[in-house]
Amino acid sequence: MFGNFIYFIVVLLIYATYPPSDTTNFTAGETAFLFILLFVCFCGFSWLSFFRIKKQIGRQHTLLTGNRFTTIQSRLSIVAIIFFIIDIYGLNITDFLSRIHFLEIFPTIEAVICLAVFIGYLSISWGIGYSTYRRLHSTPIDRRGYVLSNISFAVPVLMPWIILSGIADIIHSLPFESTKRFLSTTEGELLYFLIFLALIALIGPAIIQKFWRCKPLPPGPARDRIESVCRNANISYRDIVQWPLFGGHMITAGVMGLVKRFRYILVTPALLQYLSTEEIDAVIAHEIGHVKKKHLLFYLLFFTGYMLIAYATFDILVYVILYSKPAYLLVTNTGYDQATLTPVLFSLVMVVFFLVYFRYIFGYFMRNFERQADAYAFSMFDTAAPLVSTFRKIAYTSGQSADKPNWHHFSISERIGFLQRCETDRSSVQRHNRKVTRSILVYLSALFIIGVMSYQLNFGNTGEKISGHFLETVLHRELEKSGDNPQLLSILGDLYSSRNDFEKTIDTYERVLAITSDSPHVLNNLAWLYVTCEESRYRNPERGLLLAKKAAALGPSPETLDTLAESYYVNGQYEDAVEAGKKALAVAEKNRSYYEDQLEKFVAAKNGRPID
């Protein structure tokens, strides 16, 4: 069930990392036909998968059949992701959607449509698998309720991104230029994200419990009992609500909310129906343990840590993979060019990185936090026997083996075994608490080191050197394959220019101009270097002026006109410098103060009083 969270986020990453293309692989009609065909194929594959297991019901042990059912659902979810990738990368459905003007203005709606495609695949698997699920669990929930329960449980994981992106769309559509400029900066993006994350962390539970259609638990013995346990633990909350998960027929509970005003304790009707009062107390003690041990706050920290780690290391990972020899051989042997391969590898690396982090790092803490919450029962009661009996009931009613492992908590058998060890040796509780504390300290230390590294990579010279080295490597490889490609040579010249490697910059730009003389960018950059280079041996004012004239003639932008004015100025042609400077200022929309200072310099030189 929790695995759907991972699937949804993976799909979101796949969508978010897809680069728009000017061309599509198929026409609109062909794409529509293939899109429908994929859904038909998925329906057929889902039907065959569940048809086989339905024949096994009654012939095999219920636990074996239940495990087989869960395996098939997971397999179909992965197949749905593969089909979604085909829709995005093969059929280019996002490129067709982006042609709609309204979606171009509000791309978040386009994202919701694409994510709905994946939900459609999963809904097919859930709908077809419903009859098998009902025979295994003897649940009165109908097919529609089963599908909607699956959707409503997993979709909230996407809500923060959708809201974040939607608000950004609205802001960019409004005439607040200064706000939009600030939000486009690194500082603005970071501030916007942190504010939004804080708001979601605080008020998200109130939204989610409404989305799950939770209702306040009516007054009565069950509510009185839960309130009493919370009072004894000194835990405050907004409300105790009924959680109608899968029709309320699952024995489970939960707690959401960092602060009292937006904290909710969730219990399913099945939990109240099938558990004794002592068992209900034990389950609520488990949820109180999550609050007391600050697990919800740490989950927020781990999520933020993922963002930091991804930001710090992702570029380097992409560089290493993309520019490594295996990737180079892949490009060479398959015939794919770098531009085609880059977005595919980009998406792949991002998905793998996410899976590794949440499966092994986040999952490690989730499992140990669950165990820590289990052990909290000993802080409130003399024994954890009611919690052990609750686990046995959950294993019996779920149709799953008690030994089945899980990425986000230990198996039921392992949880029972741990509680039984704690019954005989209460020091096991403290040892586990110390283990969790040490693990958190190690994580925070690693996060600090990665934060320092992130700063160096993204704002220091180290990152520029590393990225520059990788970029130079791939450019030379591409030039070996394609010969003297002027576009690649131009990029290489820009790279040398950023390093102030004047000799290589001049040599590379001159190679471009030997191939083609109609590149305003190269003409302008080389002209500026010839007339302003800090090392006099590389200056060539006469050639710089010639190149500047060509650049301004091909593309009279503020930059080329400014270079032309500077070239006139260096060559002593002050009147021409003033005229070119006026033109540069006239067409400049940004950084006008710079062009005004330049013009002042030229005018002063013309009047015989040059400015130092």
Side-chain angles (χ1 to χ4, degrees):
M1 186 168 63
F2 282 93
N4 287 332
F5 287 166
I6 301 295
Y7 300 140
F8 273 71
I9 296 177
V10 166
V11 165
L12 179 60
L13 290 174
I14 291 169
Y15 169 81
T17 54
Y18 172 77
S21 175
D22 294 330
T23 60
T24 57
N25 296 322
F26 304 99
T27 65
E30 293 170 340
T31 298
F33 172 76
L34 293 172
F35 180 77
I36 295 172
L37 182 62
L38 284 175
F39 267 93
V40 172
C41 291
F42 189 80
C43 287
F45 182 73
S46 299
W47 185 85
L48 286 174
S49 298
F50 286 114
F51 177 75
R52 294 170 184 169
I53 190 175
K54 276 196 289 189
K55 294 196 300 184
Q56 298 172 359
I57 296 177
R59 300 179 185 177
Q60 296 183 348
H61 194 280
T62 303
L63 289 180
L64 293 176
T65 310
N67 289 338
R68 176 70 176 159
F69 175 82
T70 303
T71 300
I72 290 175
Q73 281 285 20
S74 299
R75 183 183 302 160
L76 288 174
S77 297
I78 294 172
V79 172
I81 293 175
I82 295 173
F83 276 41
F84 181 79
I85 293 173
I86 295 173
D87 287 327
I88 297 296
Y89 280 87
L91 303 185
N92 310 111
I93 61 173
T94 60
D95 294 318
F96 285 103
L97 290 173
S98 62
R99 296 175 185 177
I100 302 174
H101 181 66
F102 178 74
L103 298 183
E104 185 179 4
I105 299 174
F106 297 100
T108 302
I109 299 178
E110 175 193 310
V112 171
I113 293 173
C114 290
L115 294 173
V117 171
F118 177 68
I119 295 174
Y121 284 122
L122 291 184
S123 297
I124 289 172
S125 69
W126 293 327
I128 294 176
Y130 164 75
S131 57
T132 305
Y133 173 84
R134 184 171 183 178
R135 292 180 64 181
L136 284 171
H137 297 279
S138 301
T139 175
I141 187 174
D142 60 14
R143 190 186 306 271
R144 180 175 178 273
Y146 175 68
V147 173
L148 290 178
S149 289
N150 275 290
I151 294 174
S152 64
F153 182 74
V155 163
V157 76
L158 300 175
M159 289 175 60
W161 182 87
I162 292 173
I163 297 172
L164 181 72
S165 179
I167 294 174
D169 288 349
I170 294 172
I171 292 174
H172 284 290
S173 67
L174 297 175
F176 303 129
E177 295 301 325
S178 59
T179 302
K180 289 190 284 187
R181 281 197 299 270
F182 174 72
L183 291 177
S184 65
T185 64
T186 302
E187 297 80 3
E189 290 178 350
L190 180 60
L191 180 62
Y192 175 54
F193 173 77
L194 291 177
I195 292 175
F196 179 81
L197 185 64
L199 288 174
I200 286 296
L202 291 175
I203 68 174
I207 299 173
I208 292 174
Q209 63 95 18
K210 289 294 184 182
F211 188 85
W212 283 343
R213 294 173 293 125
C214 297
K215 295 181 179 180
L217 184 65
R223 186 179 182 100
D224 293 341
R225 188 87 185 192
I226 296 173
E227 290 177 344
S228 175
V229 173
C230 291
R231 276 196 304 271
N232 292 337
N234 195 28
I235 288 294
S236 301
Y237 50 86
R238 176 66 179 268
D239 203 356
I240 303 170
V241 297
Q242 285 186 322
W243 189 11
L245 182 65
F246 291 96
H249 297 284
M250 290 185 66
I251 300 177
T252 189
V255 60
M256 299 188 300
L258 295 175
V259 297
K260 168 190 173 182
R261 184 175 179 81
F262 299 106
R263 180 180 296 141
Y264 295 86
I265 297 174
L266 298 81
V267 292
T268 60
L271 180 140
L272 302 176
Q273 178 180 356
Y274 295 115
L275 299 190
S276 66
T277 54
E278 291 78 11
E279 289 169 339
I280 294 174
D281 290 348
V283 171
I284 299 304
H286 169 94
E287 302 306 331
I288 290 173
H290 283 304
V291 178
K292 289 289 189 178
K293 297 298 182 179
K294 312 295 183 185
H295 292 164
L296 302 180
L297 185 61
F298 281 117
Y299 287 146
L300 183 63
L301 170 67
F302 296 142
F303 178 77
T304 307
Y306 165 75
M307 304 297 291
L308 174 62
I309 295 172
Y311 181 73
T313 63
F314 185 71
D315 286 347
I316 300 301
L317 289 174
V318 171
Y319 285 142
V320 170
I321 293 174
L322 191 59
Y323 304 144
S324 63
K325 190 171 182 180
Y328 177 66
L329 293 175
L330 177 64
V331 173
T332 304
N333 296 333
T334 60
Y336 290 109
D337 58 24
Q338 200 81 22
T340 302
L341 187 64
T342 298
V344 176
L345 287 178
F346 186 89
S347 298
L348 179 63
V349 170
M350 197 160 191
V351 169
V352 170
F353 185 85
F354 169 81
L355 291 175
V356 169
Y357 181 88
F358 277 89
R359 172 62 178 83
Y360 294 102
I361 299 177
F362 196 83
Y364 168 82
F365 282 105
M366 285 192 75
R367 291 191 298 274
N368 283 282
F369 282 176
E370 288 295 324
R371 176 166 286 183
Q372 198 173 34
D374 289 343
Y376 193 77
F378 293 104
S379 300
M380 299 191 65
F381 309 109
D382 294 332
T383 177
L387 190 57
V388 170
S389 61
T390 297
F391 287 148
R392 289 184 173 135
K393 286 183 179 181
I394 291 173
Y396 177 78
T397 58
S398 68
Q400 300 291 323
S401 170
D403 297 320
K404 184 180 179 181
N406 198 301
W407 70 273
H408 58 86
H409 60 67
F410 293 102
S411 70
I412 289 180
S413 293
E414 289 175 312
R415 295 174 77 175
I416 291 175
F418 171 72
L419 290 174
Q420 289 175 337
R421 289 195 300 274
C422 292
E423 289 280 5
T424 57
D425 181 10
R426 294 298 174 89
S427 65
S428 298
V429 176
Q430 295 304 319
R431 284 197 297 271
H432 183 71
N433 288 337
R434 287 195 294 269
K435 172 188 174 182
V436 172
T437 300
R438 288 194 300 268
S439 298
I440 292 173
L441 290 175
V442 170
Y443 177 85
L444 291 175
S445 299
L447 206 60
F448 175 76
I449 294 171
I450 291 173
V452 173
M453 181 182 71
S454 172
Y455 180 84
Q456 291 297 324
L457 290 177
N458 292 281
F459 301 102
N461 294 328
T462 305
E464 292 182 6
K465 291 179 180 178
I466 293 174
S467 60
H469 169 74
F470 283 122
L471 179 58
E472 183 178 3
T473 299
V474 75
L475 286 172
H476 280 301
R477 285 179 177 177
E478 288 297 313
L479 286 168
E480 288 176 7
K481 290 167 52 180
S482 60
D484 282 352
N485 183 299
Q487 286 78 21
L488 296 178
L489 284 171
S490 175
I491 297 172
L492 185 60
D494 294 344
L495 178 62
Y496 289 141
S497 178
S498 67
R499 298 176 181 172
N500 288 332
D501 191 335
F502 304 123
E503 185 173 349
K504 288 185 177 180
T505 302
I506 292 172
D507 178 66
T508 306
Y509 280 155
E510 290 288 9
R511 285 171 64 186
V512 175
L513 297 180
I515 302 169
T516 176
S517 60
D518 61 353
S519 173
H521 174 77
V522 174
L523 289 166
N524 183 72
N525 286 7
L526 186 54
W528 184 264
L529 178 58
Y530 276 142
V531 299
T532 66
C533 185
E534 59 192 56
E535 294 188 28
S536 58
R537 61 196 174 108
Y538 293 115
R539 291 182 187 172
N540 189 342
E542 293 80 10
R543 178 155 176 75
L545 178 57
L546 178 64
L547 297 177
K549 288 179 179 179
K550 290 182 179 180
L554 289 170
S557 64
E559 293 79 16
T560 57
L561 290 169
D562 178 59
T563 300
L564 178 60
E566 187 72 24
S567 300
Y568 279 132
Y569 172 79
V570 171
N571 281 275
Q573 301 178 33
Y574 302 132
E575 289 190 9
D576 292 327
V578 170
E579 290 302 316
K582 289 180 179 178
K583 292 179 181 178
L585 179 60
V587 297
E589 296 181 356
K590 298 179 181 179
N591 200 18
R592 289 180 59 85
S593 61
Y594 164 79
Y595 295 103
E596 290 171 353
D597 292 341
Q598 283 285 84
L599 181 57
E600 183 182 353
K601 180 178 72 172
F602 303 145
V603 171
K606 176 185 174 183
N607 295 332
R609 44 181 181 83
I611 300 175
D612 293 334

